[in-house]
Amino acid sequence: MLKKRVIAAIMVKDGLVVQSIGFERYLPVGKIDIAIEFLEHWDVDEIAIIDIGATNNGNNIDFNSIKKASKKCFLPISAGGGIDNIDTARNILASGADKIIISSAAFTKPSFISECSEIFGDQSIVVCLDIKKMDNGEYRCFTHSGTIDTNISAIEFIEKNQNYGIGEILINSIDQDGSKKGYDIELVKLIQNIATVPVIAMGGAGSFEHMSQVFKETGISAVAAGNIFHFVEHSTAIAKAYLKNSDIPIRKSHILDYTGHIFDEFCRVTPYKFVDAI
Amino acid sequence: MNFINKDILVLNIGIGNIQSVVNAINHTGRSCVTGSSKIDIDAAKVIIFPGVGAFGEAVKLLKNLGIFEYLITKLLDKDIYFLGICLGMQLLFEKSYEHGTHQGLALLEGSIMKMDFAETLPHVGWNNIDVSSNSTLFYNIEESSDFYFDHSYSAVCDSSIVSSFVDYSGKKVVASVEKDNIFGVQFHPEKSQFLGLKIIDNFLKKAQSA
């Protein structure tokens, strides 16, 4: 059976991993390769590296950081930020990433997704939609780190484009970003209902219960989170154990396995207490 | 026999995740080279062909490099051990229906078809496999282990060459093939952490002992 995935999102700005809050404030966390090394040891299922400054600065994501990171990482990596041409996409894949994440270019260059898919295959293309809920309730796509309104609704974009080269859709809620209030379940449900490609939810995870909730209520393929994974030891292994305890099908761990433990409100393992003992 | 520098060739045709496969081979304690020329192929005892990409594009590149026919001749020889990963495995078959119809290397009988039966494509993520008893690749690997998959097309072929299946959307999908000197995996061992590295090690050990 196909397992549900826990993806660690590594947000990068000016070469450093950052915590992002509402697409407006950024707190430095540390170096990319160190973050990846930890996450790999903590048994995460996949890593997504997103350079959030790249489009606005006119830069591309730094290939060397991916190359360095992938040397010790035997997990799937997707990477993006400012990708708007085939050469950049090719370089990112050649550096050790398995998938490219396309965001702004999906709107500024409408044929770009299908061009990439013809060369690299649909399965290598993740489209990241930064979505904001408008006053009239419409979920609308924004680009350039949430600063430019595309005037295109998320539903319209997906229905029109998903059969033309998209491998996965990463939905990033601008409203929930950094809020710790949980995923926007309404948004995720709407998209999961119309999507024929795997959907990943991102934005707002403040506890592992939020992850369990979004899996149970929407049936999506994967959850992604950034902030929550950076500040707790063994965070991703604990998240997976929590989900397993909640009967979500999760990949069996070969490194760190906390299945059966219980966790406190700060997502830490509570020593010597087990689910069965409650 | 121990491998020396040019014995292991990671075939680099300009698409695909070359670096990860090189990293994985290095992690098993072996060195390797990357390349795509006839000279590289001549020097190799083992060829690993990683695959991220579209079938037609890969065939075109192999032909442009002038190694499409050469690879077939070399592999028929049975002196070279070959491991195809994902698209690298699919290219071993006769034809593929990905974005049109394309002829493959035809070293294995069968074709590559879209997994139309599935509600969601691609099949992406960690999924457990069922291994047949006489597999080389899965030696000492626990039954029902999870590996990382990412594909929309899969091989349709006689089960005699299939060494493992994966269940997706209620259908049995080919996860790996093994025939003489030719091996292929639909999943990504270089991206499947510890167990994936073990598969690469199993393959290289087999090639070493040949």
Side-chain angles (χ1 to χ4, degrees):
Chain A
M1 160 184 218
L2 185 64
K3 309 301 181 297
K4 301 290 183 185
R5 285 172 289 157
V6 173
I7 301 175
I10 297 184
M11 299 298 185
V12 177
K13 200 169 162 52
D14 305 324
L16 276 185
V17 180
V18 294
Q19 179 182 4
S20 159
I21 301 165
F23 277 53
E24 283 171 358
R25 290 195 298 135
Y26 303 100
L27 302 173
V29 174
K31 285 189 170 171
I32 303 173
D33 52 314
I34 306 280
I36 290 181
E37 202 176 325
F38 275 115
L39 291 163
E40 153 115 47
H41 290 159
W42 295 349
D43 213 34
V44 73
D45 294 326
E46 191 169 329
I47 290 170
I49 307 171
I50 304 172
D51 193 325
I52 47 183
T55 312
N56 287 345
N57 297 340
N59 296 329
N60 290 128
I61 190 161
D62 174 14
F63 305 129
N64 280 331
S65 66
I66 301 177
K67 214 166 189 171
K68 201 171 163 192
S70 73
K71 281 239 151 61
K72 290 182 198 160
C73 181
F74 301 106
L75 285 172
I77 298 178
S78 47
I83 302 177
D84 62 0
N85 62 75
I86 298 288
D87 282 343
T88 306
R90 194 188 302 274
N91 283 334
I92 285 181
L93 294 173
S95 305
D98 307 278
K99 301 184 254 195
I100 51 169
I101 303 172
I102 299 174
S103 42
S104 297
F107 298 92
T108 54
K109 287 173 79 176
S111 63
F112 186 55
I113 295 171
S114 56
E115 279 170 33
C116 282
S117 83
E118 269 170 40
I119 298 175
F120 310 114
D122 300 4
Q123 82 293 330
S124 309
I125 319 288
V126 180
V127 171
C128 174
L129 301 177
D130 295 334
I131 299 168
K132 207 180 181 119
K133 192 173 187 177
M134 309 307 284
D135 291 338
N136 64 3
E138 182 197 15
Y139 282 105
R140 198 177 290 168
C141 298
F142 280 67
T143 60
H144 299 77
S145 303
T147 56
I148 297 178
D149 184 352
T150 62
N151 284 316
I152 297 170
S153 87
I155 301 290
E156 183 191 337
F157 178 85
I158 293 167
E159 283 182 334
K160 215 167 132 189
N161 293 285
Q162 66 177 343
N163 294 327
Y164 298 96
I166 296 180
E168 287 171 82
I169 299 168
L170 173 60
I171 38 179
N172 192 12
S173 162
I174 297 175
D175 307 305
Q176 302 301 104
D177 181 52
S179 73
K180 300 184 186 169
K181 288 182 187 154
Y183 294 92
D184 186 335
I185 302 270
E186 182 195 333
L187 166 67
V188 177
K189 247 188 207 162
L190 266 177
I191 292 184
Q192 174 67 15
N193 282 344
I194 56 153
T196 56
V197 299
V199 175
I200 307 162
M202 184 160 86
S207 71
F208 302 138
E209 175 56 27
H210 289 147
M211 297 182 177
S212 165
Q213 190 190 6
V214 75
F215 275 132
K216 282 190 171 155
E217 292 189 25
T218 68
I220 46 163
S221 301
V223 290
N227 305 343
I228 192 176
F229 290 142
H230 292 309
F231 301 106
V232 179
E233 283 279 306
H234 297 184
S235 54
T236 45
I238 295 173
K240 287 174 65 181
Y242 186 94
L243 294 170
K244 223 172 185 176
N245 289 349
S246 322
D247 292 326
I248 310 284
I250 291 290
R251 172 173 71 108
K252 191 179 166 194
S253 174
H254 289 274
I255 309 170
L256 278 174
D257 197 343
Y258 287 112
T259 318
H261 284 75
I262 61 170
F263 312 101
D264 68 13
E265 70 267 36
F266 303 109
C267 305
R268 296 175 306 201
V269 175
T270 311
Y272 314 119
K273 285 190 179 166
F274 299 94
V275 171
D276 293 339
I278 302 169
Chain B
M1 177 195 72
N2 278 326
F3 287 135
I4 54 163
N5 199 18
K6 288 187 175 171
D7 288 349
I8 304 175
L9 171 68
V10 178
L11 196 61
N12 180 6
I13 59 167
I15 49 171
N17 189 346
I18 305 305
Q19 190 61 40
S20 296
V21 176
V22 170
N23 295 342
I25 295 166
N26 292 343
H27 204 83
T28 70
R30 299 170 177 93
S31 59
C32 62
V33 292
T34 62
S36 60
S37 70
K38 285 183 181 171
I39 298 167
D40 295 323
I41 294 171
D42 276 336
K45 295 198 170 76
V46 174
I47 296 175
I48 298 186
F49 192 8
V52 174
F55 195 100
E57 179 75 9
V59 169
K60 195 173 90 190
L61 289 168
L62 284 171
K63 285 184 174 163
N64 288 349
L65 289 162
I67 54 169
F68 187 86
E69 301 290 340
Y70 197 65
L71 212 49
I72 297 173
T73 322
K74 277 290 188 181
L75 292 181
L76 284 173
D77 228 1
K78 298 204 188 344
D79 283 341
I80 292 186
Y81 270 75
F82 183 94
L83 174 66
I85 297 173
C86 196
L87 177 66
M89 172 192 105
Q90 297 187 354
L91 286 162
L92 291 166
F93 287 90
E94 290 160 309
K95 59 183 163 183
S96 164
Y97 296 96
E98 181 177 357
H99 299 306
T101 309
H102 309 277
Q103 303 299 318
L105 296 166
L107 290 155
L108 300 176
E109 282 177 22
S111 50
I112 306 303
M113 315 272 282
K114 191 165 191 177
M115 295 185 286
D116 280 329
F117 54 85
E119 240 176 69
T120 306
L121 280 181
H123 169 217
V124 50
W126 298 78
N127 204 337
N128 56 297
I129 52 167
D130 287 319
V131 181
S132 69
S133 55
N134 54 352
S135 162
T136 298
L137 294 177
F138 296 95
Y139 176 72
N140 259 352
I141 286 178
E142 203 183 318
E143 181 63 21
S144 208
S145 294
D146 289 317
F147 292 90
Y148 179 74
F149 288 83
D150 192 2
H151 62 122
S152 297
Y153 291 79
S154 67
V156 176
C157 64
D158 191 85
S159 63
S160 61
I161 58 168
V162 179
S163 64
S164 69
F165 285 103
V166 61
D167 182 290
Y168 186 54
S169 268
K171 279 246 169 43
K172 272 168 87 176
V173 172
V174 174
S176 66
V177 289
E178 303 182 23
K179 192 190 174 205
D180 304 325
N181 57 326
I182 293 175
F183 297 75
V185 284
Q186 180 59 64
F187 55 87
H188 289 273
E190 79 282 15
K191 291 288 164 177
S192 297
Q193 276 193 315
F194 171 73
L195 294 177
L197 296 173
K198 176 93 184 122
I199 285 193
I200 291 177
D201 191 52
N202 282 345
F203 166 72
L204 292 171
K205 274 191 183 135
K206 172 76 178 177
Q208 256 163 331
S209 66

